[in-house]
């Protein structure tokens, strides 16, 4: 660590005993490197004292910092006592107070008077309101904003006073309190403070450093480079240029140090990567190149600008033997965290809709929580029940009936109040830790248990009501700031860290991921109620100052490096624009000292094969096909035409798709709904010739039939009570009425109609594949409706979609493969039905008509199959050849790729 080594060399020259120095650092991570450097130098005395600048200012203030949930609760109690109008409950308060608090802290840190800023905001809004002549309309946004700042001018001063009475303070109040104490502290202290590696200061921090310099109680070591400090256009040197002008730096005290390292030889590679996670796939290759030059990776750092890439990065670095991870794994990204998030969402829903459970809320919790074998069996049975009945919303009775034996069933019951729920979930977390868990799961659960205990203790002194929604916000506040720390050896091996963790540290090899605009720098993403012009007017930091801070960290990290790898995601998706950071562009245009190599990586992962899946017909497959021959349905053949691979999966391997809950009625179940309703109606009329009275149903009777059909589907009636499913139900009801009305009109016109069979099952109907009649298959299936119209036997198949390709034209040139086309599947099915009916004894020598009755075109009635050329015998030739192809051992099952799927 070159910079730290230089500082310690300087201090040892001043005094071989470092115990008299107090070293002030931006963070605590460099301490371990300082200790290593001193050990390498053979230092054997007492170590200096180490401080962060925040801790030093807190110590000088003599106050106690109040932050997080404790501050929110105290502030709300103060807010409630003021009876401001409009008055928010705690849930509404926590939606705006954290942003106000951050703005207020900024005001206290950077402005001379917080009251001046608050008054300015109120006056400005009042002037705008006056100019727009808002009148008495309280709901106008401008009026509400004016009222908001009027309230803040009352609330924040009172909050400050109440905090001071208890010697409590926010971060900004601590800075304000220290202003008057810095000068006496600098005069009276006997300690020597050494400030290392700072860039931007708040006003109080700057005052402290300069006062200690004036009284010879302090030293400052900056780390800058002439490349960005001497160039006024470089934002990275903005603050160092200002510090260099301090009057404390003169002929007797130099500004230390501005180096000239950036211009030294460096190899810089910029990688344009297609994909976010794809960046991590490149890491092994980069590291192999580094290890070819160096014995180990101790002087190499992987810097993640997006913490969400940590899991993928660790996966990519699995082969690295020694690895140290400085950045923590965000708690919110772990499985138990997701379960807790869904649990709070469930209870929020129960507050608004008591006794109603959305199935996916329950499934999300049950799947994410660690479960015992007994719990897993209960969950499996519960999911099977819900999926089989297609229950979207479950009643409390059903949930209790099926999950009452679950070890943590109490978590799903509506809580009496927030405290009772906290007690329950704390106990649950405590017991859960005794299960067999991996280390990360254990840490995940332990963090949550601690967070819940903290919240319960923080809530105890207060009596205002807290809703489950508010409790969720409080938990998220704690969890989002928590991370699971990894154990490692910080002085050996590859270092994985965030950008802020690199402060004061230098590495020979630097690999930065996600060097995208919006990540480096963050840009104008500041969440604030203070407009940009107000911030600049009162010298508060804006996103421009924040960009300068990020620029400094970036260039400082590069200045001592020799090999730099900059990776960015070039794909635009979500909030990612696919735009590389402007810092890369600045290097490309302004850096004339280094050769920058550009690498474009289209896809860091192995490309997925675009070739269709091909399944050869082994002897085991042929054996299954012999079994299949004994029981063939028309849908088997049409399924093969659509995709031979699906045929292989379902008919040879006997697989089936997992059942899924339909939140909106599927096309298939819409057809079943109409089909079952028609079956109920026509089964009730018998097999005699129909009369008008047989089909004269009232609207209530039609509705009753639909409800019976819903029961047959195993669906809950409330599934159809609202939304799209209500519409689907009524569309199905209309289709049923139209079918009945169509038949009724046939009867009224004097035609004779008789229902012969519904859902007629046939099986063991032989069909020979050779002239010698030694090789055969057997058809089976169900015919939706067989009726007789004016003496003609009609074989009717119901379809949800429209009828098509029912005009058959078979000639010598197409006889062999006429049905080798998915578009002719309806005609193929009707031909098989015709073939089967002709061979059933009860229908022998009957005049037969086959046809499709489409629910999408009910008014057309039955659309018959019509042979323009050829006859059924010719059609069966093609069907025979299709079966022979399926059985042919030389023809594999080859996947068909379809862009759309039509039912």
């Amino acid at each position: 660590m070159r910079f730290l080594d230089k500082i310690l060399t300087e201090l040892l020259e001043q005094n071989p005993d470092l115990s008299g120095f107090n070293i002030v650092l931006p963070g605590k991570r460099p301490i371990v490197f300082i200790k290593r450097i001193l050990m390498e130098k053979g230092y054997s005395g007492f170590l200096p004292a180490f401080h962060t600048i925040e801790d030093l200012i807190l110590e000088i203030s003599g106050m106690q910092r109040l932050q997080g949930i404790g501050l929110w609760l105290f502030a709300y109690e103060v807010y409630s006592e003021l009876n401001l109008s409009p008055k928010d409950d705690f849930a509404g308060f926590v939606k705006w107070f954290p942003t106000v608090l951050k703005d207020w802290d900024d005001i206290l840190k950077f402005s001379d008077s917080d009251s001046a800023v608050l008054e300015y905001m109120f006056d400005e809004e009042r002037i705008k309101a006056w100019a727009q002549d808002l009148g008495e309309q309280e709901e106008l946004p401008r009026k509400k904003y004016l009222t908001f700042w009027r309230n803040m001018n009352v609330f924040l001063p009172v909050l400050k006073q109440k905090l001071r009475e208890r010697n409590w303070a926010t971060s900004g109040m601590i800075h304000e309190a220290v202003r008057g104490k810095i000068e006496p502290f600098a005069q009276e202290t006997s300690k020597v403070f050494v400030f290392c590696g700072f860039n931007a200061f708040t006003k109080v921090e700057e005052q402290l450093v300069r006062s200690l310099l004036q009284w010879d109680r302090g030293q400052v070591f900056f780390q800058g480079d002439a490349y960005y400090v001497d160039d006024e256009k470089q934002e990275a040197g903005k603050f160092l240029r200002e510090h260099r002008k301090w009057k404390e730096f003169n002929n007797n005290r130099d500004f230390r140090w501005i180096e000239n390292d950036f211009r030294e030889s460096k190899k810089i590679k910029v990688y344009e990567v297609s994909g976010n996670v794809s960046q991590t796939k490149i890491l092994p290759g980069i590291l192999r190149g580094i290890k070819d030059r160096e014995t180990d990776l101790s002087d190499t750092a992987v810097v993640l600008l997006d913490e969400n890439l940590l899991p993928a990065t660790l996966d990519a670095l699995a082969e690295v033997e020694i690895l140290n991870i400085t950045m923590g794994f965000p708690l919110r990204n772990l499985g138990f965290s997701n379960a807790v998030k869904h649990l709070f969402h469930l209870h929020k829903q129960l507050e608004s809709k008591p006794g109603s459970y959305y199935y996916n809320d329950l499934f999300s919790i049950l799947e994410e929580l660690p479960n015992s074998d007994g719990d897993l069996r209960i969950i499996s049975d519960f999911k099977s029940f819900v999926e089989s009945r297609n229950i979207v919303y479950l009643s409390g009775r059903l949930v209790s009936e099926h999950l009452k034996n679950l070890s943590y069933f109490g978590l799903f019951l509506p809580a009496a109040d927030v405290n009772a729920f906290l007690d329950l979930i704390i106990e649950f977390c405590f017991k859960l830790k005794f299960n067999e868990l991996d280390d990360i799961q254990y840490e995940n659960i332990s963090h949550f248990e601690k967070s819940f205990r903290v919240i319960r203790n923080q809530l105890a002194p207060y009596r205002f009501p807290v809703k489950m929604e508010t409790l969720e916000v409080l938990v998220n506040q704690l969890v989002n700031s928590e991370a699971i720390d990894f154990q490692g050896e910080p002085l050996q091996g590859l270092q994985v860290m965030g950008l802020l963790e690199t402060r004061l540290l230098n590495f020979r090899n630097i690999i930065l991921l996600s060097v995208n605009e919006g990540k480096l720098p963050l840009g104008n993403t500041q969440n604030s109620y203070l407009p940009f012009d107000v911030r600049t007017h009162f010298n508060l930091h804006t996103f421009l100052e924040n960009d300068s801070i990020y620029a400094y960290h970036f260039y400082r990290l590069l200045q001592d490096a020799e090999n730099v790898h900059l990776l960015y995601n070039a794909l635009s998706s979500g909030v990612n624009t696919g735009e590389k950071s402007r810092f890369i562009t600045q290097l490309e245009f302004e850096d004339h000292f280094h050769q920058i190599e550009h690498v474009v990586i289209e896809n860091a992962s192995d490309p997925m094969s675009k070739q269709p899946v091909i399944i050869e017909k082994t002897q085991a497959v042929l054996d299954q096909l012999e079994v299949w021959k004994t029981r063939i349905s028309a849908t088997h053949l049409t399924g093969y035409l659509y995709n031979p691979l699906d045929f292989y999966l379902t008919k040879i391997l006997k697989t089936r798709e997992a059942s899924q809950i339909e939140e909106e009625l599927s096309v298939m179940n819409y057809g079943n709904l109409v089909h079952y309703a028609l079956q109920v109606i026509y089964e009730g009329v018998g097999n005699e010739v129909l009369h008008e009275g047989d089909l004269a149903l009232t609207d209530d009777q039609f509705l009753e039939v639909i409800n019976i059909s819903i029961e047959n589907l195993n669906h809950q009636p409330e599934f159809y009570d609202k939304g799209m499913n209500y519409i689907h139900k009524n569309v199905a009801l209309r289709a049923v009425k139209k079918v009945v009305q169509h038949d009724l009109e046939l009867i009224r016109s004097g035609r004779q109609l008789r229902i012969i069979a519904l859902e007629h099952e046939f099986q063991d109907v032989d069909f020979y594949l050779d002239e010698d009649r030694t090789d055969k298959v057997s058809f089976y299936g169900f015919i939706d409706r067989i009726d007789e119209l004016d003496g003609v036997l009609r074989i009717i198949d119901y379809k949800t979609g429209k009828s098509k390709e029912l005009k058959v034209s078979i000639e010598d040139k197409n006889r062999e493969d006429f049905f080798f086309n998915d578009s002719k599947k309806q005609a193929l099915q009707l031909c098989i039905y015709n073939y089967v009916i002709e061979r059933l004894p009860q229908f022998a020598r009957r005049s037969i008509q086959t046809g499709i009755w489409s629910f999408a075109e009910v008014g057309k009635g039955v659309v018959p199959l019509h042979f323009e050329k050829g006859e059924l015998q010719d059609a069966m030739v093609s069907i025979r050849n299709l079966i022979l192809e399926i059985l042919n051992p030389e023809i594999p099952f080859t996947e068909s790729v379809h862009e759309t799927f039509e039912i």
Side-chain angles (χ1 to χ4, degrees):
M1 296 298 140
R2 179 175 171 182
F3 178 62
L4 292 175
D5 187 280
K6 193 173 180 180
I7 293 173
L8 294 172
T9 301
E10 173 74 20
L11 295 179
L12 286 169
E13 289 177 358
Q14 296 177 20
N15 191 334
D17 181 10
L18 297 181
S19 61
F21 293 107
N22 288 261
I23 298 180
V24 185
L25 305 165
K28 295 181 179 180
R29 175 163 172 73
I31 296 175
V32 66
F33 291 94
I34 291 174
K35 292 178 179 178
R36 182 182 69 173
I37 293 170
L38 289 175
M39 182 182 66
E40 292 172 350
K41 290 180 177 294
Y43 179 75
S44 58
F46 287 103
L47 289 172
F50 296 102
H51 310 270
T52 63
I53 197 163
E54 292 86 0
D55 291 341
L56 180 57
I57 289 176
L58 180 62
E59 180 183 335
I60 296 171
S61 74
M63 304 181 79
Q64 181 180 349
R65 180 187 288 122
L66 185 63
Q67 56 188 353
I69 293 173
L71 176 57
W72 292 10
L73 294 168
F74 180 80
Y76 181 69
E77 187 176 54
V78 174
Y79 171 82
S80 300
E81 292 173 353
L82 295 174
N83 292 317
L84 298 172
S85 179
K87 181 180 179 180
D88 288 318
D89 58 12
F90 187 62
F93 178 80
V94 295
K95 291 178 181 178
W96 55 261
F97 179 70
T99 304
V100 167
L101 178 62
K102 184 180 181 304
D103 286 339
W104 190 38
D105 279 337
D106 285 349
I107 293 169
L108 291 168
K109 288 179 181 180
F110 293 100
S111 71
D112 296 324
S113 169
D114 61 323
S115 60
V117 180
L118 294 174
E119 289 172 6
Y120 181 90
M121 284 301 300
F122 176 58
D123 290 342
E124 183 183 41
E125 293 307 315
R126 185 169 55 185
I127 291 170
K128 290 178 180 177
W130 169 76
Q132 293 182 18
D133 189 20
L134 297 178
E136 300 301 322
Q137 299 182 51
E138 294 293 336
E139 293 303 314
L140 287 174
R142 178 66 66 197
K143 193 91 170 183
K144 293 171 72 173
Y145 205 43
L146 174 63
T147 303
F148 173 79
W149 283 111
R150 178 190 291 115
N151 289 342
M152 291 307 100
N153 272 268
V154 176
F155 166 55
L156 293 178
V158 175
L159 176 60
K160 183 192 290 188
Q161 176 189 344
K162 296 289 185 181
L163 288 168
R164 282 176 175 171
E165 289 173 359
R166 292 163 175 78
N167 200 38
W168 293 344
T170 69
S171 175
M173 286 177 61
I174 290 170
H175 278 245
E176 183 185 50
V178 169
R179 288 178 191 167
K181 298 181 179 182
I182 286 178
E183 197 64 26
F185 174 80
Q187 294 179 35
E188 297 169 7
T189 185
S190 59
K191 300 177 181 179
V192 176
F193 294 90
V194 181
F195 296 86
C196 306
F198 286 92
N199 175 39
F201 293 112
T202 65
K203 294 182 70 172
V204 167
E205 291 168 350
E206 180 178 330
Q207 182 186 354
L208 174 62
V209 175
R210 296 182 67 172
S211 294
L212 290 170
L213 287 176
Q214 290 171 11
W215 292 95
D216 289 327
R217 295 290 186 270
Q219 301 181 51
V220 187
F221 295 98
F222 296 102
Q223 186 180 18
D225 193 276
Y227 173 74
Y228 55 81
V229 174
D230 293 343
D231 185 353
E232 294 288 336
K233 294 181 294 184
Q234 285 281 1
E235 58 189 330
K238 170 183 171 61
F239 295 105
L240 293 182
R241 286 193 292 270
E242 294 174 358
H243 303 338
R244 191 163 58 172
K245 297 175 185 178
W246 290 354
K247 65 180 181 180
E248 288 76 21
F249 296 119
N250 48 44
N251 294 333
N252 299 321
R253 185 186 290 112
D254 294 334
F255 182 88
R256 296 177 295 181
W257 289 287
I258 302 298
E259 298 163 327
N260 202 15
D261 296 331
F262 191 83
R263 291 176 170 82
E264 293 181 4
S265 177
K266 303 181 195 303
K267 294 181 180 178
I268 301 177
K269 273 190 176 183
V270 177
Y271 300 79
E272 177 185 323
V273 186
S274 298
N276 202 30
V277 174
S278 297
Q279 297 174 83
T280 65
K281 306 301 181 185
I282 305 168
L283 290 176
I286 296 175
L287 294 175
R288 280 194 295 271
I290 293 173
K291 292 189 74 173
D292 289 342
R293 301 188 304 268
E294 303 178 14
T295 56
D296 62 40
L297 298 174
S298 297
D299 211 3
T300 302
V302 175
V303 181
L304 303 182
L305 299 170
D306 182 355
E307 64 179 11
N308 294 315
L309 284 184
L310 181 58
T313 299
L314 297 182
D315 184 58
L317 300 177
E319 301 300 321
V320 178
E321 295 181 4
I322 304 177
L323 185 69
N324 182 61
I325 307 165
T326 299
M327 59 191 308
F329 190 92
L331 197 64
R332 62 180 178 271
N333 292 342
L334 296 173
F336 188 75
S337 303
N338 290 329
V340 170
K341 180 179 70 174
H342 290 299
L343 184 61
F344 277 110
H345 180 75
L346 174 70
H347 279 273
K348 283 195 303 182
Q349 297 301 108
L350 289 176
E351 278 189 341
S352 59
K353 297 180 180 179
S356 178
Y357 295 81
Y358 177 51
Y359 83 97
N360 205 32
D361 289 342
L362 290 169
F363 284 11
S364 299
I365 299 167
L366 296 171
E367 291 167 359
E368 293 282 6
L369 288 176
N371 289 290
S372 65
D373 291 340
D375 286 341
L376 286 174
R377 285 192 293 271
I378 294 170
I379 293 168
S380 177
D381 292 343
F382 173 66
K383 292 179 67 176
S384 297
F385 167 76
V386 174
E387 289 168 352
S388 66
R389 300 293 301 273
N390 201 69
I391 307 176
V392 179
Y393 289 94
L394 294 92
S395 66
R397 179 187 61 80
L398 278 178
V399 172
S400 177
E401 181 180 329
H402 291 272
L403 294 179
K404 61 184 177 183
N405 294 323
L406 197 67
S407 63
Y408 48 88
F409 173 64
L411 291 178
F412 298 118
L413 297 177
D417 54 43
V418 164
N419 287 326
F421 181 75
L422 282 172
D423 289 338
L424 186 65
I425 200 168
I426 288 170
E427 182 184 6
F428 169 68
C429 291
F430 177 75
K431 291 181 178 179
L432 203 57
K433 292 191 298 183
F434 292 94
N435 293 358
E436 290 187 9
L437 306 169
D438 60 49
D439 291 341
I440 291 182
Q441 273 186 320
Y442 185 88
E443 288 294 328
N444 193 187
I445 294 167
S446 297
H447 275 70
F448 267 101
E449 183 189 5
K450 182 187 74 174
S451 297
F452 292 136
R453 291 186 187 277
V454 168
I455 292 172
R456 185 182 61 181
N457 293 336
Q458 296 276 16
L459 286 173
Y462 302 98
R463 293 292 175 261
F464 50 79
V466 176
K467 295 180 180 179
M468 195 62 64
E469 179 183 6
T470 312
L471 181 59
E472 181 185 31
V473 174
L474 298 180
V475 172
N476 287 338
Q477 164 69 11
L478 280 179
V479 172
N480 288 340
S481 60
E482 293 272 356
I484 293 179
D485 295 326
F486 292 89
Q487 292 183 350
E489 174 49 62
L491 302 177
Q492 294 183 27
L494 179 68
Q495 305 291 311
V496 179
M497 56 182 61
L499 185 62
L500 294 181
E501 282 79 28
T502 65
R503 290 177 295 186
L504 275 77
L505 307 181
N506 308 105
F507 299 92
R508 183 182 299 115
N509 308 299
I510 296 293
I511 307 169
L512 273 86
L513 276 67
S514 301
V515 192
N516 284 80
E517 198 69 18
K519 297 292 184 184
L520 184 73
L522 290 176
N524 189 12
T525 57
Q526 195 171 27
N527 190 17
S528 173
Y529 290 132
L530 299 176
F532 179 84
D533 60 325
V534 174
R535 284 184 165 270
T536 54
H537 179 74
F538 287 98
N539 297 318
L540 275 62
H541 274 191
T542 67
F543 72 92
L544 297 177
E545 282 74 23
N546 293 335
D547 286 359
S548 297
I549 293 172
Y550 271 85
Y552 169 77
H553 291 318
F554 174 75
Y555 280 101
R556 189 212 63 80
L557 187 60
L558 266 58
Q559 68 191 51
D560 286 327
E562 296 177 8
N563 303 288
V564 180
H565 303 268
L566 307 176
L567 288 70
Y568 72 93
N569 176 15
L571 285 185
S572 300
S573 60
V575 296
N576 179 58
T577 62
E579 181 182 357
K580 64 184 176 184
S581 169
R582 68 168 181 268
F583 295 159
I584 294 179
T585 306
Q586 285 175 203
L587 285 176
E588 293 168 341
F589 281 91
E590 299 175 5
D591 181 5
H592 307 297
F593 312 104
H594 312 107
Q595 187 68 33
I596 300 177
E597 181 182 351
H598 291 81
V599 180
V600 178
I601 299 177
E602 292 294 339
N603 196 330
S605 304
D606 294 333
M608 294 181 65
S609 174
K610 294 183 179 179
Q611 299 299 318
V613 177
I614 298 176
I615 305 295
E616 299 294 339
K617 292 175 182 172
T618 63
Q619 187 57 50
V621 172
L622 294 174
D623 290 344
Q624 286 297 318
L625 286 172
E626 286 299 314
V627 175
W628 171 73
K629 287 171 61 179
T630 63
R631 193 171 170 80
I632 293 177
S633 79
T635 54
H636 293 179
L637 301 182
T638 58
Y640 176 83
L641 287 173
Y642 183 77
N643 191 348
L645 182 62
D646 287 344
F647 176 89
Y648 167 76
L649 293 173
T650 56
K651 305 304 177 292
I652 307 302
L653 296 186
K654 308 296 184 183
T655 62
R656 62 179 182 178
E657 293 184 2
S659 59
Q660 293 183 340
I661 293 177
E662 297 174 4
E663 295 192 39
E664 182 178 334
L665 193 69
S666 67
V667 174
M668 181 182 72
N669 275 332
Y670 166 77
N672 289 335
L673 188 63
V674 179
H675 187 280
Y676 291 154
L678 292 174
Q679 186 176 351
V680 171
I681 292 172
Y682 285 96
E683 279 180 345
V685 299
N687 292 331
E688 300 299 323
V689 175
L690 296 179
H691 297 90
E692 186 174 337
D694 295 326
L695 299 180
L697 277 67
T698 65
D699 288 343
D700 288 341
Q701 288 174 313
F702 275 115
L703 186 58
E704 182 182 355
V705 167
I706 287 290
N707 290 332
I708 294 172
S709 181
I710 289 172
E711 290 181 11
N712 291 336
L713 279 173
N714 274 332
H715 285 182
Q716 297 295 101
E718 56 265 27
F719 179 64
Y720 297 90
D721 285 348
K722 59 184 178 180
M724 286 301 299
N725 294 326
Y726 177 79
I727 296 175
H728 289 316
K729 175 182 176 180
N730 282 276
V731 171
L733 180 61
R734 185 174 63 180
V736 172
K737 287 182 177 181
K738 284 188 174 181
V739 170
V740 173
Q741 183 64 31
H742 187 276
D743 285 343
L744 197 55
E745 290 175 359
L746 289 177
I747 296 171
R748 287 170 178 169
S749 65
R751 306 188 70 176
Q752 287 194 329
L753 176 65
R754 183 166 67 93
I755 302 297
I756 296 176
L758 298 167
E759 286 296 304
H760 180 75
E761 181 181 5
F762 62 87
Q763 55 186 343
D764 298 330
V765 178
D766 294 339
F767 176 60
Y768 290 94
L769 303 177
D770 59 348
E771 293 181 359
D772 298 334
R773 300 173 67 86
T774 58
D775 189 15
K776 69 175 182 177
V777 297
S778 296
F779 289 126
Y780 89 97
F782 294 86
I783 298 175
D784 292 336
R785 169 170 159 172
I786 302 176
D787 67 21
E788 183 183 270
L789 182 63
D790 296 336
V792 176
L793 193 69
R794 296 196 306 175
I795 311 302
I796 300 172
D797 188 59
Y798 295 134
K799 291 294 182 187
T800 306
K802 296 180 179 180
S803 60
K804 58 182 180 180
E805 302 275 355
L806 293 184
K807 292 183 178 180
V808 176
S809 182
I810 302 178
E811 303 175 283
D812 290 342
K813 62 181 179 181
N814 64 6
R815 180 183 295 110
E816 300 296 321
D817 59 358
F818 180 81
F819 283 119
F820 283 51
N821 188 327
D822 181 54
S823 66
K824 295 182 173 64
K825 60 186 178 183
Q826 291 182 359
L828 181 151
Q829 188 171 3
L830 293 179
C831 286
I832 291 177
Y833 287 170
N834 198 334
Y835 174 87
V836 167
I837 291 299
E838 286 182 351
R839 279 150 184 79
L840 294 180
Q842 63 269 40
F843 302 120
R845 295 182 296 278
R846 293 293 303 270
S847 175
I848 298 173
Q849 181 188 79
T850 60
I852 298 293
W853 201 339
S854 166
F855 297 149
E857 303 171 313
V858 178
K860 286 186 176 181
V862 179
V863 179
L865 175 70
H866 175 63
F867 281 89
E868 293 183 335
K869 293 182 180 179
E871 54 188 17
L872 180 63
Q873 184 177 350
D874 298 313
M876 297 309 295
V877 171
S878 177
I879 292 173
R880 179 197 65 193
N881 290 338
L882 179 60
I883 296 172
L884 289 173
E885 178 182 297
I886 296 174
L887 298 172
N888 190 338
E890 303 300 322
I891 301 177
F893 294 113
T894 303
E895 179 186 18
S896 297
V897 179
H898 300 268
E899 293 184 2
T900 58
F901 180 76
E902 181 182 357
I903 296 177

